[in-house]
C-alpha cells in the first residue's frame, strides 16, 4: 500500500504534467472510484477545470483547481497514476479513469483491487474533511514534545497508534516498522509510555525512515510504481520490513515477525526489547 513516501513520489512525478493544464476530457469507468456519485456526473464536473497545484496531505493527493474545488485522490492498496502523450497510453485492463489535458497529455488512474477513491470537494469542504481524518504531517513541524502529546494516555501498542492516521498522517505498515527499528523501540510498547529520550528517538526514527523512502522514490512491492512506470528503490533499504528470519544489520540477531492489530510486524528482538533493560553505569 502506498504510504507517505510513495504518494510524495507520485506527486513529484505527476505535478509537472498536471499543474497549469486544463482538463478537456474525463472518463471514469468504475463506479466504485467516485461512489456514491455517478461516474459520468463527476467526469462532467471535472471537464473545464484548470489544475493549479498538486499537493499531498498524509496519503492523499490533493489536486487543487483554479475554481477552488479540490480532487482528493487516495490510492489505498493498489492505485497508481500513469501519464503519456495523448492517445499513447498502453492498453490496461485495470484502468479506472482517464483525464485528457490541454497540454497534450493523458493521465490514467489504474487500480487492480479497486479500493482507491476520487472525491471532488468544494473549496470550503477540504479543511474539515482532512481535519477529522488526519493528524499532523510527520515531516512538518514535528518535535518529540508534540509527538508525546499525540501519544499521551494511549495504551494501544506503538505500532497500532502510529498506523492510526489521526496520530500522524501518512505512516503505514512499512514505514512504522522501519521507524521503530531506527528508534530501537518495541512495537508492542504502550504508546503513551515513552519517556522524553524515547520520544526523541521515535521522532528521529520516523523522519529518517520517511526521508529515506522519499529519497529512494518509494518502495516497489507488488503494485506500486511511479507515474512514468519506473520503480522505486526503498525496498533495498529495508532494515526489518519483510526481513524476518534474516539478521539485523545492527546486532546480527535474527529479525522476528509477529502480528499487531492484524498487521504483520517486523522487529529485532535485541535492538527493540519489549522491556527496557536498565543499565548500571
Ligand atoms: Zn538488532
Amino acid at each position: 500500500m502506498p504510504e507517505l513516501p510513495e504518494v510524495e513520489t507520485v506527486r513529484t512525478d505527476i505535478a509537472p504534467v498536471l499543474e497549469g493544464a486544463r482538463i478537456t476530457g474525463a472518463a471514469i469507468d468504475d463506479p466504485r472510484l467516485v461512489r456514491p456519485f455517478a461516474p459520468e456526473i463527476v467526469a462532467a464536473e471535472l471537464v473545464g477545470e484548470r489544475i493549479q497545484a498538486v499537493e499531498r496531505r498524509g496519503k492523499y493527493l490533493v489536486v487543487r483547481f483554479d475554481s477552488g474545488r479540490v480532487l482528493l485522490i487516495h490510492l489505498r492498496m493498489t492505485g497508481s497514476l500513469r501519464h503519456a502523450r495523448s492517445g499513447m497510453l498502453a492498453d490496461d485492463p485495470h484502468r479506472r479513469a482517464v483525464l485528457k489535458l490541454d497540454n497534450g497529455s493523458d493521465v490514467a488512474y489504474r487500480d487492480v483491487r479497486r479500493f482507491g477513491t476520487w472525491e471532488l470537494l468544494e473549496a470550503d469542504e477540504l479543511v474539515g474533511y482532512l481535519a477529522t481524518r488526519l493528524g499532523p504531517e510527520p515531516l512538518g513541524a514535528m518535535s518529540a514534545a508534540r509527538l508525546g502529546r499525540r501519544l499521551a494516555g494511549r495504551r494501544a501498542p506503538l505500532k497500532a497508534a502510529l498506523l492510526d492516521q489521526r496520530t500522524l498522517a501518512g505512516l503505514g505498515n512499512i514505514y512504522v516498522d522501519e521507524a521503530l527499528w531506527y528508534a530501537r523501540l518495541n512495537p508492542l510498547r504502550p504508546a503513551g509510555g515513552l519517556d522524553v529520550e524515547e520520544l526523541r528517538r521515535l521522532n528521529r526514527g520516523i523522519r529518517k525512515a520517511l526521508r529515506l523512502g522519499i529519497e529512494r522514490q518509494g518502495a516497489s512491492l507488488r503494485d506500486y510504481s511511479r507515474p512514468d512506470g519506473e520503480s522505486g528503490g526503498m525496498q533495498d533499504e529495508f532494515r526489518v520490513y519483510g526481513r524476518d528470519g534474516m539478521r539485523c544489520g545492527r546486532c546480527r540477531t535474527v529479525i522476528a515477525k509477529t502480528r499487531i492489530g492484524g498487521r504483520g510486524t517486523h522487529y529485532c528482538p535485541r535492538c527493540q526489547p519489549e522491556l527496557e533493560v536498565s543499565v548500571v553505569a
Side-chain angles (χ1 to χ4, degrees):
M1 170 168 177
E3 304 179 29
L4 187 157
E6 287 74 34
V7 179
E8 182 61 23
T9 301
V10 170
R11 188 199 70 76
T12 305
D13 285 350
I14 207 73
V17 178
L18 290 175
E19 287 178 352
R22 191 175 298 279
I23 298 172
T24 56
I28 298 172
D29 302 320
D30 184 356
R32 279 179 63 168
L33 190 60
V34 293
R35 68 184 175 191
F37 302 102
E40 58 276 11
I41 290 175
V42 177
E45 294 282 339
L46 289 171
V47 172
E49 291 282 6
R50 185 179 165 279
I51 298 150
Q52 187 180 75
V54 182
E55 300 166 359
R56 180 194 55 75
R57 179 77 173 88
K59 301 178 196 172
Y60 288 94
L61 283 170
V62 182
V63 182
R64 291 184 183 274
F65 299 121
D66 282 354
S67 65
R69 283 170 149 188
V70 173
L71 177 65
L72 270 185
I73 299 178
H74 200 304
L75 305 172
R76 299 288 168 196
M77 299 285 287
T78 57
S80 64
L81 295 169
R82 290 281 188 286
H83 67 89
R85 300 302 300 164
S86 184
M88 298 296 281
L89 284 169
D91 288 339
D92 183 351
H94 300 297
R95 186 173 301 149
R96 308 297 174 196
V98 177
L99 298 179
K100 292 185 111 27
L101 305 177
D102 68 353
N103 62 12
S105 294
D106 291 348
V107 173
Y109 176 79
R110 83 187 299 265
D111 197 342
V112 175
R113 300 199 45 195
R114 303 171 63 211
F115 290 119
T117 53
W118 282 23
E119 290 172 275
L120 186 58
L121 301 183
E122 298 301 326
D124 60 356
E125 293 177 314
L126 181 68
V127 171
Y129 183 99
L130 295 178
T132 58
R133 290 167 174 81
L134 301 180
E137 288 289 317
L139 293 178
M142 185 52 58
S143 64
R146 190 176 183 197
L147 189 53
R149 287 194 293 276
R150 302 207 65 80
L151 297 173
R154 294 174 70 167
R155 289 185 175 178
L158 262 180
K159 170 80 185 244
L162 293 171
L163 286 175
D164 180 350
Q165 299 299 294
R166 292 164 299 183
T167 306
L168 290 176
L171 291 169
N173 212 34
I174 292 175
Y175 291 92
V176 170
D177 282 6
E178 294 294 300
L180 290 174
W181 182 85
Y182 284 116
R184 301 179 190 235
L185 292 169
N186 188 281
L188 278 168
R189 290 275 304 272
L194 304 188
D195 65 25
V196 173
E197 170 53 26
E198 290 169 333
L199 287 167
R200 282 202 192 101
R201 290 195 332 242
L202 180 57
N203 191 38
R204 280 201 301 266
I206 291 168
R207 296 172 87 95
K208 168 133 188 152
L210 293 175
R211 284 196 173 128
L212 188 56
I214 292 170
E215 200 179 295
R216 299 304 304 267
Q217 301 179 306
S220 285
L221 303 170
R222 299 178 294 273
D223 296 293
Y224 164 77
S225 60
R226 295 167 49 197
D228 54 9
E230 296 293 315
S231 296
M234 181 61 187
Q235 62 281 0
D236 301 329
E237 303 285 348
F238 289 161
R239 304 307 174 101
V240 283
Y241 183 82
R243 294 179 58 81
D244 41 305
M246 297 159 96
R247 291 191 182 273
C248 171
R250 204 157 44 197
C251 74
R252 312 306 296 161
T253 300
V254 175
I255 291 163
K257 182 177 183 182
T258 185
R259 292 193 87 75
I260 300 177
R263 308 297 301 276
T265 298
H266 312 77
Y267 66 104
C268 171
R270 185 163 175 201
C271 294
Q272 300 169 260
E274 194 153 347
L275 291 171
E276 285 293 280
V277 179
S278 53
V279 177
V280 179

